[in-house]
Amino acid sequence: MRGGGNACSSRALAVSWRPATWHQRLDMGRLHGPRSSTSHRNLQHLFLFFLFVGPFSCLASYSRATELLYSLNEGLPAGVLIGSLAEDLRLVPRAAGRLDQQSRPPERTGAEWNPPLSFSLASRGLSGQYVTLDNRSGELHTSSQEIDREALCLEGGGGAAWGGSISVSAPSSDSCLLLLDVLVLPQEYFRFVKVKIAIRDINDNAPQFPVSQILVWVPENAPVNTRLAIEHPAVDPDIGTNGVQTYRLLDYHGMFTLDVEENENGERTPYLIVMGALDRETQDQYVSIIIAEDGGSPPLSGSATLTIGISDINDNCPIFVDSQINVTVYGNATVGTPVAAVQAVDRDLGTNAQITYSYSQKVPQASKDLFQLDENTGVIKLFSKIGGSVLQMHRLTILANGPGCIPAVITALVYIIKVISTPPEIVPRYIANEIDGVVYLKELEPVGTPIAFFTIRDPEGKYKVNCYLDGEGPFRLSPYKPYNNEYLLETTKPMDYELQQFYEIAVVAWNSEGFHVKRVIRVQLLDDNDNAPVFPQPLIELTIEENNAPNAFLMKLYATDADSGERGQVLYFLGPDAPSYFSLDSVTGILTVSTQLDREEKEKYRYTVRAVDCGKPPRESVATVALTVLDKNDNSPRFINKDFSFFVPENFPGYGEIGVISVTDADAGRNGWVALSVLNQSDIFVIDTGKGMLRAKVSLDREQQSSYTLWVEAVDGGEPALSSTTKITILLLDINDNPPLVLFPQSNMSYLLVLPSTLPGSPVTEVYAVDKDTGMNAVIAYSIIGRRGPRPESFRIDPKTGNITLEEALLQTDYGLHRLLVKVSDHGYPEPLHSTVMVNLFVNDTVSNESYIESLLRKEPEINIEEKEPQISIEPTHRKVESVSCMPTLVALSVISLGSITLVTGMGIYICLRKGKKHSKENENVEVQIPLKGKIDLHMRERKPMDISNI
């Protein structure tokens, strides 16, 4: 333990702690109140004593332990305050850095005492799992790990000790404690604090049955109020009233109710109580839903299916429907001939319903010897040959015996008819194959196939004998002429093995004395391969998603063959038109595809399959397989070009059509739907998702921005969606929408002193202007269009550079103010733009009176505009060359390009741009004549100088 050595000092003994118990309030461990002077003196004596007993004082210091108890609900979020150790231990200082006077040792003054408090867990095991401790304030908060009382107490087990910084204790089933060991420092105030946090239960668990089906057996003779415990009661991890409180049935069927019993441990067990008489023979089971509810607010519930089975008891005895039956037996009946059959009924089940039959003791032994009774089936057979002295009537009393029952009784009266004459004889002679009395015929035998001859005769030759055919089937018995008493048995209709395989008919002969003789003939048909396999439908429609796994299962083909044996055994084969990557198991009929299918490659497959039986010769049938490959979103949208470039004239109207972004998606349906969107510059540009038309929301100004680079994303409608992006470059074509901007002179009111001694040809000043446009629209020409002064024609301006030079020597009469109106014009198309500026030249030796000059400048000059402007010559021959500009062509091409292919448009613009460069070089010294329209603005428009690096 940290600070253990210092805890042994006498200074640490100056503070004592009261013992803490489990039932104390949260202010447990409170320090004693102020000590009296007597207490101080006693402590001094005690200090001297412990100087001699050092080890014992160390043991005493360890007894300064405190216990704090807190409680909180489970399931609280992180950051919930549990308690403040500093406040509950009365360690909160009154002022910053000072402890309460009750906690301060008497041997230090207030000026010396300024210790910072420190709180820490005794060890760092699981300290951060459930709570967090502020080392400075001593506040305990819930951590990010939510406290689950049921899981916590299950992990902690029962009666955990104080080992480690955190442990779990569950001293009883209703309590759950979180135990912490906290150290309080500095060493002078070392405290070992035991903190117990009681976790209160909330109703966060619903009752749950361990099984979803509960079966309870109830004997059908169970008396009313019989109680049966329902196994597998519901379990609720919560405790107290939050645990399971009640049970109920959704349907009591008017026969049952529920009761709940609670044992010493508080466990509640539901009991099923019988409320009415049960009869298994009337209803053998009842099904209901059992619901368990807890006592929370609101209550939670769980349910299971309760099946109440009614077990059988032997409460029914055998009974006969009739009390007596009458039977007639001829005296010449053969031994073993069934005479009669009796049957009793017992409504019970299993061994309770077992019935045995026996003769009553009243039946004479002679009757028992003549007629045998089967004790299990109740069949009475002739057991011995009937003699001439046998009684003509026998009363057979038969008992039906059940377990624990009084036997049921039925009487069978058997009358024996004596035969005086000999019965007729039936002699068969089989034509068809006959084995052991069974005639075998093939199903494809033609109509009229003979089966057998029968000779019918009277052994004594005294009586006439007639005969007929008894039984159902395609047979007839007809006299075979010209012989007497000869009859032919033959077929009358085609026979089908698949409809009926076996016939039983009888030839019956009787004489005039009433004697009847019957000869039974059994006909068994033999199967022929007369049926081909049959598919359930001739067209088998299948679907499979593309990108399937190899050897993917398609379906199991099934064809039926009505024939039997190997003739009905079906094998399956692919037709010749089936692709090689389809496989068909000949025995099982399982159809698979060995390769991965791609819908974009081929969407539909159509081929035949054959079903062949194993008959001789084999028969077969054909079906068509129509396989449709379903689309998966496995293709991203694809733009027709890697990059798109559009040339657009500036000042293009808002929402005008710039160009079409074409994109395709090889997928189908929703997977092939493509939505386009602008990723950047979306505040300026917008794209029509349906048509892919790119538009600008606002008019574009090349002087503000000459080109735009956009990224357009295409997203399909698949799940998940696939996307692709493309780069779009928009180049703005210049339009002559900016007049030249004069940068010097800066004002019409400025002037320049020109000395009279200036030599002819000397530069005097210059006019400097820029144009924000490009190309020919930015080529500037300077000209003097108006002059005023003593001899203003003495000055000349260079049309290309704007330099103003002195042409002739200045005379005495040239002194004064010379005013030159300079026109600055561009070469724009379709109409050049211009600006004007007044150049003021004051010819004098000095500037002695500036106010006079300024007054002259303020006067409105009367300047005559020169109708013919000076021309700029290129060569000494003064050859006139017309200004060639390709800007009209560019503008026309840019407009036409909105409906043309982007590639062709770009090539045309590229050619024109090169042509424009060539002509711009040729026009360096071209004479320019630009008419001056309207009234001249003598004051140049003020504009901020702009970067002219693009000129």
Side-chain angles (χ1 to χ4, degrees):
M1 188 185 308
R2 293 184 298 176
N6 293 334
C8 296
S9 65
S10 60
R11 182 176 301 172
L13 295 175
V15 180
S16 63
W17 297 83
R18 290 180 294 182
T21 63
W22 173 263
H23 301 286
Q24 283 181 307
R25 299 174 56 189
L26 293 178
D27 59 355
M28 297 169 61
R30 182 182 302 167
L31 294 172
H32 283 294
R35 295 170 176 79
S36 61
S37 58
T38 305
S39 299
H40 284 287
R41 287 192 298 270
N42 293 335
L43 286 174
Q44 293 174 0
H45 293 293
L46 186 61
F47 172 72
L48 295 175
F49 171 75
F50 277 106
L51 287 177
F52 296 97
V53 194
F56 299 101
S57 65
C58 185
L59 293 175
S61 68
Y62 280 107
S63 67
R64 295 163 60 193
T66 305
E67 291 186 3
L68 294 179
L69 172 63
Y70 299 101
S71 64
L72 75 159
N73 290 340
E74 62 174 324
L76 293 177
V80 176
L81 178 64
I82 300 174
S84 175
L85 301 184
E87 293 180 1
D88 297 336
L89 293 173
R90 299 294 181 89
L91 298 178
V92 177
R94 293 182 179 179
R98 297 180 182 274
L99 293 176
D100 194 325
Q101 292 296 329
Q102 297 180 6
S103 304
R104 191 169 58 193
E107 61 271 18
R108 289 194 180 185
T109 64
E112 298 174 344
W113 186 256
N114 191 16
L117 293 178
S118 173
F119 299 85
S120 61
L121 297 173
S123 63
R124 298 294 178 182
L126 301 175
S127 59
Q129 185 174 0
Y130 300 108
V131 297
T132 59
L133 175 63
D134 191 303
N135 293 336
R136 297 186 64 84
S137 66
E139 291 183 349
L140 277 172
H141 293 83
T142 57
S143 69
S144 58
Q145 176 68 40
E146 184 179 282
I147 298 179
D148 185 357
R149 179 192 172 281
E150 290 75 29
L152 184 64
C153 291
L154 181 62
E155 294 173 2
W162 288 90
S165 63
I166 291 183
S167 59
V168 178
S169 176
S172 67
S173 61
D174 294 340
S175 62
C176 179
L177 298 177
L178 189 66
L179 309 179
L180 299 88
D181 294 341
V182 180
L183 300 178
V184 182
L185 298 175
Q187 297 176 356
E188 292 87 345
Y189 294 98
F190 170 75
R191 298 293 180 268
F192 183 66
V193 184
K194 290 183 176 292
V195 180
K196 297 182 179 180
I197 302 175
I199 309 302
R200 293 193 297 263
D201 182 45
I202 64 172
N203 191 25
D204 56 343
N205 293 280
Q208 185 176 3
F209 288 92
V211 294
S212 60
Q213 301 281 342
I214 302 175
L215 177 61
V216 177
W217 286 100
V218 181
E220 64 176 325
N221 63 342
V224 177
N225 293 327
T226 298
R227 300 170 64 87
L228 297 130
I230 297 178
E231 297 182 359
H232 311 295
V235 178
D236 192 330
D238 296 325
I239 62 171
T241 58
N242 292 332
V244 178
Q245 298 295 318
T246 61
Y247 291 87
R248 59 185 174 87
L249 292 179
L250 202 60
D251 185 2
Y252 291 92
H253 296 285
M255 303 294 294
F256 306 96
T257 186
L258 279 182
D259 188 18
V260 180
E261 291 186 3
E262 185 175 357
N263 60 14
E264 297 177 353
N265 297 328
E267 297 176 351
R268 298 172 183 265
T269 303
Y271 280 81
L272 181 69
I273 302 176
V274 179
M275 301 300 294
L278 302 175
D279 186 3
R280 188 207 62 80
E281 288 72 32
T282 303
Q283 186 170 351
D284 58 355
Q285 76 172 14
Y286 300 85
V287 180
S288 184
I289 302 297
I290 183 171
I291 300 174
E293 288 187 351
D294 59 23
S297 180
L300 302 178
S301 63
S303 63
T305 301
L306 177 64
T307 302
I308 305 171
I310 310 302
S311 59
D312 184 51
I313 64 169
N314 192 24
D315 57 345
N316 292 279
C317 291
I319 58 173
F320 285 106
V321 177
D322 300 318
S323 61
Q324 179 176 310
I325 59 173
N326 297 322
V327 182
T328 300
V329 180
Y330 287 100
N332 60 350
T334 58
V335 175
T337 300
V339 176
V342 295
Q343 185 176 11
V345 178
D346 193 324
R347 297 175 60 191
D348 291 327
L349 294 176
T351 58
N352 294 332
Q354 288 183 352
I355 302 175
T356 59
Y357 301 93
S358 62
Y359 284 125
S360 172
Q361 295 181 357
K362 298 179 181 179
V363 177
Q365 187 62 39
S367 298
K368 294 179 181 180
D369 294 339
L370 184 60
F371 300 103
Q372 184 184 47
L373 174 65
D374 191 310
E375 65 176 3
N376 294 320
T377 63
V379 175
I380 304 173
K381 294 182 179 180
L382 184 62
F383 186 66
S384 61
K385 189 174 181 180
I386 301 175
S389 60
V390 175
L391 297 176
Q392 294 185 359
M393 193 275 290
H394 295 263
R395 180 182 298 273
L396 304 178
T397 303
I398 302 171
L399 306 179
N401 306 289
C405 292
I406 299 175
V409 180
I410 188 173
T411 300
L413 298 179
V414 182
Y415 296 92
I416 298 177
I417 301 176
K418 291 186 177 180
V419 179
I420 300 176
S421 60
T422 305
E425 290 182 350
I426 301 175
V427 179
R429 287 168 290 171
Y430 293 99
I431 301 172
N433 184 25
E434 181 267 338
I435 301 175
D436 296 332
V438 178
V439 177
Y440 295 91
L441 293 177
K442 292 184 178 181
E443 64 172 326
L444 298 182
E445 292 286 355
V447 176
T449 297
I451 298 175
F453 276 111
F454 290 92
T455 300
I456 309 299
R457 63 188 179 185
D458 182 19
E460 298 179 0
K462 298 187 296 181
Y463 305 100
K464 181 181 179 180
V465 179
N466 295 315
C467 69
Y468 65 90
L469 187 64
D470 185 24
E472 299 291 335
F475 308 101
R476 67 183 173 193
L477 183 66
S478 58
Y480 189 75
K481 295 181 180 180
Y483 302 104
N484 293 326
N485 298 331
E486 296 289 341
Y487 295 87
L488 176 63
L489 178 64
E490 59 186 350
T491 61
T492 59
K493 295 179 181 180
M495 293 178 290
D496 191 349
Y497 175 87
E498 286 71 36
L499 295 178
Q500 188 171 346
Q501 298 89 33
F502 184 79
Y503 297 90
E504 184 172 289
I505 55 179
V507 176
V508 181
W510 81 96
N511 59 15
S512 56
E513 293 295 321
F515 286 103
H516 289 72
V517 177
K518 180 187 293 187
R519 168 72 72 168
V520 177
I521 300 98
R522 297 175 177 85
V523 178
Q524 175 67 57
L525 292 186
L526 300 178
D527 187 30
D528 282 306
N529 192 28
D530 58 339
N531 293 279
V534 178
F535 286 101
Q537 61 274 345
L539 178 62
I540 303 171
E541 295 181 333
L542 306 176
T543 59
I544 186 174
E545 282 193 341
E546 63 175 332
N547 304 331
N548 56 281
N551 299 317
F553 173 82
L554 293 177
M555 77 165 301
K556 187 180 188 309
L557 299 181
Y558 180 71
T560 58
D561 193 319
D563 295 324
S564 62
E566 65 179 9
R567 291 171 293 274
Q569 183 179 348
V570 181
L571 300 178
Y572 303 91
F573 303 95
L574 289 172
D577 55 345
S580 60
Y581 39 82
F582 289 95
S583 300
L584 179 60
D585 190 291
S586 61
V587 177
T588 64
I590 293 178
L591 181 63
T592 58
V593 56
S594 60
T595 188
Q596 192 176 73
L597 301 180
D598 188 355
R599 188 204 66 83
E600 288 72 36
E601 244 180 60
K602 189 172 182 180
E603 183 178 6
K604 295 185 178 294
Y605 296 85
R606 193 178 183 94
Y607 53 89
T608 57
V609 290
R610 298 186 302 127
V612 182
D613 63 22
C614 296
K616 294 182 180 179
R619 292 177 176 266
E620 71 175 42
S621 62
V622 178
T624 300
V625 174
L627 175 64
T628 301
V629 182
L630 302 180
D631 184 53
K632 290 182 70 175
N633 194 26
D634 58 343
N635 290 278
S636 301
R638 293 185 60 185
F639 293 92
I640 61 171
N641 295 328
K642 182 179 180 182
D643 299 318
F644 291 84
S645 297
F646 297 102
F647 295 87
V648 180
E650 65 173 332
N651 301 330
F652 196 66
Y655 291 97
E657 296 179 352
I658 295 176
V660 177
I661 310 300
S662 299
V663 63
T664 61
D665 195 315
D667 294 322
R670 190 177 184 87
N671 296 330
W673 297 353
V674 180
L676 297 174
S677 62
V678 179
L679 296 181
N680 62 326
Q681 305 282 358
S682 59
D683 55 334
I684 302 177
F685 297 95
V686 66
I687 192 165
D688 186 346
T689 298
K691 298 180 180 179
M693 181 62 68
L694 181 64
R695 306 173 189 268
K697 297 181 181 179
V698 297
S699 179
L700 304 177
D701 188 355
R702 191 205 62 79
E703 286 69 38
Q704 292 184 2
Q705 188 170 342
S706 61
S707 64
Y708 295 87
T709 300
L710 308 180
W711 290 96
V712 173
E713 181 183 37
V715 182
D716 61 24
E719 184 63 37
L722 300 178
S723 64
S724 61
T725 57
T726 187
K727 178 183 176 183
I728 299 177
T729 303
I730 299 175
L731 301 175
L732 296 184
L733 302 177
D734 186 48
I735 293 179
N736 192 26
D737 57 345
N738 292 280
L741 177 62
V742 179
L743 301 180
F744 185 83
Q746 297 181 353
S747 171
N748 290 335
M749 301 300 291
S750 62
Y751 65 93
L752 180 68
L753 177 65
V754 180
L755 299 176
S757 60
T758 303
L759 298 176
S762 300
V764 176
T765 184
E766 69 171 346
V767 177
Y768 180 69
V770 295
D771 196 314
K772 296 180 181 179
D773 296 321
T774 60
M776 296 301 295
N777 295 332
V779 176
I780 298 174
Y782 303 89
S783 62
I784 299 175
I785 62 175
R787 304 170 186 262
R788 183 175 174 80
R791 195 159 55 96
E793 62 273 7
S794 301
F795 299 95
R796 176 184 176 275
I797 190 168
D798 189 303
K800 178 180 178 183
T801 63
N803 292 332
I804 297 176
T805 58
L806 180 65
E807 288 289 305
E808 301 175 1
L810 296 174
L811 304 176
Q812 190 69 27
T813 58
D814 294 334
Y815 281 63
L817 182 63
H818 295 255
R819 308 194 75 175
L820 306 177
L821 180 60
V822 178
K823 179 181 178 181
V824 184
S825 177
D826 61 22
H827 287 60
Y829 178 86
E831 182 178 354
L833 302 178
H834 69 273
S835 299
T836 59
V837 66
M838 187 68 73
V839 179
N840 302 302
L841 303 175
F842 185 69
V843 179
N844 202 6
D845 294 326
T846 60
V847 179
S848 59
N849 191 351
E850 293 184 1
S851 61
Y852 170 71
I853 300 174
E854 292 176 358
S855 66
L856 294 177
L857 294 175
R858 282 193 291 270
K859 292 181 180 180
E860 186 72 24
E862 295 180 1
I863 299 177
N864 296 324
I865 305 301
E866 297 179 1
E867 295 181 357
K868 184 177 182 181
E869 299 179 2
Q871 296 179 344
I872 305 173
S873 60
I874 300 177
E875 301 173 352
T877 59
H878 299 285
R879 181 169 51 90
K880 303 286 183 73
V881 181
E882 294 184 356
S883 175
V884 180
S885 173
C886 80
M887 287 307 298
T889 305
L890 290 177
V891 174
L893 286 176
S894 64
V895 174
I896 296 173
S897 67
L898 296 178
S900 304
I901 302 175
T902 305
L903 181 60
V904 176
T905 304
M907 293 178 63
I909 293 173
Y910 175 76
I911 294 172
C912 285
L913 287 175
R914 295 199 48 158
K915 183 179 179 182
K917 291 181 180 180
K918 176 179 179 182
H919 284 292
S920 63
K921 293 180 180 180
E922 295 176 356
N923 292 339
E924 291 182 353
N925 296 322
V926 174
E927 293 183 358
V928 180
Q929 295 182 358
I930 303 174
L932 184 65
K933 295 184 179 180
K935 186 178 179 181
I936 299 174
D937 184 7
L938 300 179
H939 299 283
M940 181 185 63
R941 292 182 298 173
E942 294 185 0
R943 292 194 179 181
K944 295 177 65 178
M946 297 182 65
D947 184 12
I948 60 174
S949 62
N950 61 340
I951 297 180

